[in-house]
Amino acid sequence: MKQHSLFSVPPRETGRPSEAVPPSLSMTAEPLPQSLAPGQPDGEPHVYPDKDTDQDAARAAVLRAELNHHNYLYHTLDAPEITDEAYDRLFRELVEIEARRPELQTPDSPTRRTGGEVLPDLETRAHSLRMYGLDNVFSPEEWQAFALRAKRQLPEASEEIMNEWWADPKLDGLACELTYENGVFVQALTRGDGETGEVVTAAMRTVRNLPLRLRGNGPFPARLEVRGEVLMFRRQFEELNQRQEEAGQKTFANPRNAAAGSLRQLDTSITAARGLRFLAYSAGQILMEEGGEAGRGPWEKHADLIAAFREYGFETPTGGRLCCGLREAQTYYNEMEAKRDALPFEIDGVVYKLNDRDAEEALGYTARAPRFAVAWKFAARRAKTTLERITIQVGRTGVLTPVAELKPVSVGGVMVSRATLHNEDEIRHMDIREGDTVIIQRAGDVIPDVVGPVLEERKPDSVPYEFPRRCPECGSEASRLEGEAAWRCLNMSCPAVLLRSMVHFVSKAGLDVQGVGARWVEELVKAGRVRNAADLFTLEVKELLGFERMGEVLAEKFVTSLDEARRAAPLERFIAALGIRLVGEQTAKTLAADFEDMDALEQATQEDLMRLPDIGPEVAASIRAFFATDSNRTLLERFRAMGLWPRRKERPMRKETALSGKRILFTGTLSRSREEFQNMAEAAGALVAASFSKKLDYLVVGENPGSKLTKAEEAGIAVLDEAAFTALLDQKEGESAR
Ligand code: IVH
């Protein structure tokens, strides 16, 4: 099933540990689904049995329990079950009750804190200044009311000061605070519950756009806390999900969940591989001089602070600028909403901050949010339509993905006629049926998602959906492997699998042939001109010109790019292009470093393969199975005959070093980036592993090495510190390492 479903609609997931749900919730667990009923927008106050004479008190208790529960799901488990909007409505209802009846406020009310609990497995530390959340507004009227309230609360400030707002997009990621001491990055904390965050220093160090040292000549503040959002850009998100799917691992519902999952890793090499980014938008505590007084620094305006961040080398949210009053705030909002899909990352609104930092300080905070800043959220892009049919799409690895064929409907200005249903379990959980009225939503430009059926509108004769047991393309029996969510077609010559494999072969993840896109491959297959990837290389300009929309320039490019790939493709790209199950780009690299060519790889036994870093029994078996299949061998022979037969690149080894051919892994915090060390090791002929295994020759440890050090010691693997590693770089082979 989809592991991190953003919204899970009736019936509630049953696999969740029941102790995670406060007992008081049991009676509220069911009413939520009805929130999808027409005329009752989600999150609208529900009617609960009222045993208490004090309705407000009872309702407040229910809301607190419910909000705490959803906080926990959202912040601690990264697995929210209701929309942000639904949450916001419940939250506001509680705020409203507590404002009217202050005596009902309790110390544990979610209105008094900003987030979820802290995970037990990462060390936690207190923020020097609390990290607040933001209040939301949803309309120009509400924005205006917020701005007027701020004005009233600070009557002594000039009209001009109270009218000038810094606006930037509201980034949909994870808030994080970085600390710099005398210009050097020393600590990163997640927001956590606002008071205390998780220490993610090592993980954040792997984030590429994070300055490890502030740019410029200084002098730098003795201590500077920079706050911002950790994000996964859409492209990285899609690539990650593709890799996860190929490996039969869980996929993430959205970039925010993917960013959270990637940051809270005890193994920071996983974080490093995920391509996270940090965008800076505000400051925590600032201490200009050692022994001085902690404060807000010399920047009088928020705009100056942002400019300073940029000079220091931070990326800041795209398109931030000053807005004067409601009209400009509204213009900015409209512009951002229109640009939303074109941005490389997801945003869910606009944040407005008073530009004047004195006014900011004077206004301060309510119990839960600043009085000087507010988020104007975009309306959710949802719509109701009819699910006409469920069709099954066959992927390159044979995975059968159910697709909702919808009566076309406009969602936030885009016509949607298909949405993914992920897998069999997901359909069963939601009890989605053909003919149902369904709610769909679009988040960014990610494939639209089905939120759930509107049960009230279900036709009486509808029947539960039966997931097919046969491949819809070739009719062969499908199978669902243990531990996997997906059904697969295992027929190697299934036409759909072949087409997708061919598209993969020339794609970026494969040989990366420029100009040969999915559309053309499909067209050539349809025309019966190509049946497998080898056929592509037999195409000539003349015949290509016979295809509609194919001009001379494109046809030339098509043929030359393929020829270039044929002559010059590196072995690792070739291996990746073959689409061997469980062999992605990283594993292909490992194999290409160890084997001379495909002949050598074919000769490798299961044991030979498993000696390599990152290759376990499953991957080894999958590689063996690939070579054991006749159709694959025939295809390889054709590639060989046409000259597409790459050999291992001779490593540019300046000299044989003591590290040549050695398997090595880095862990802990090193004096330079992990990547730099990996490059040095590779240049010295070492094979860099991506994760721990008993097959390692060396483990190089920096500060706070964690569990890998213990494991290495237990397994009797040689442990080196940085200095010992550097010494080995220059040592001749055969000399002793110790
Ligand atoms: S400024 C005092 N600017 O949204 C608060 N926050 O729902 C100053 N967020 O956790 C925050 N984008 O961390 C600011 N451009 C932006 C933001 C932003 C996202 C986060 C913020 C908070 C959450 C509130």
Side-chain angles (χ1 to χ4, degrees), residues 132-134 168-171 175 191 229 281-282 317 351 353 370 372:
Y132 286 84
L134 289 167
D168 49 27
K170 183 168 189 309
L171 311 167
R191 183 168 97 178
E229 204 85 350
Y281 50 59
S282 78
V351 178
K353 287 157 251 186
F372 55 85

Side-chain angles (χ1 to χ4, degrees), residues 556-677:
E556 284 282 353
K557 171 144 198 214
F558 204 102
V559 173
T560 38
S561 315
L562 278 162
D563 199 50
E564 166 76 16
R566 181 183 65 76
R567 282 181 292 113
L571 182 56
E572 62 195 56
R573 293 246 66 91
F574 184 62
I575 296 175
L578 293 172
I580 304 171
R581 203 168 91 79
L582 301 180
V583 178
E585 286 175 79
Q586 188 56 47
T587 310
K589 250 191 195 168
T590 306
L591 294 170
D594 212 79
F595 294 97
E596 173 64 30
D597 59 9
M598 293 305 285
D599 283 326
L601 184 56
E602 182 173 3
Q603 299 305 319
T605 63
Q606 176 108 1
E607 291 70 40
D608 292 336
L609 291 165
M610 282 174 58
R611 249 176 253 134
L612 295 178
D614 308 337
I615 295 186
E618 255 191 292
V619 180
S622 167
I623 295 169
R624 298 294 310 140
F626 177 84
F627 286 106
T629 307
D630 284 343
S631 57
N632 293 336
R633 295 233 298 254
T634 313
L635 189 62
L636 283 177
E637 281 318 310
R638 279 196 61 199
F639 286 137
R640 186 206 300 270
M642 65 175 60
L644 173 54
W645 203 251
R647 283 175 189 285
R648 176 174 58 193
K649 254 202 290 285
E650 283 314 319
R651 279 187 220 101
M653 246 187 283
R654 294 180 302 276
K655 51 188 178 257
E656 278 290 302
T657 74
L659 286 174
S660 309
K662 296 287 194 254
R663 303 192 170 93
I664 192 162
L665 179 67
F666 295 87
T667 187
T669 312
L670 301 159
S671 67
R672 273 177 275 173
S673 76
R674 171 105 28 118
E675 203 186 10
E676 278 178 71
F677 275 92

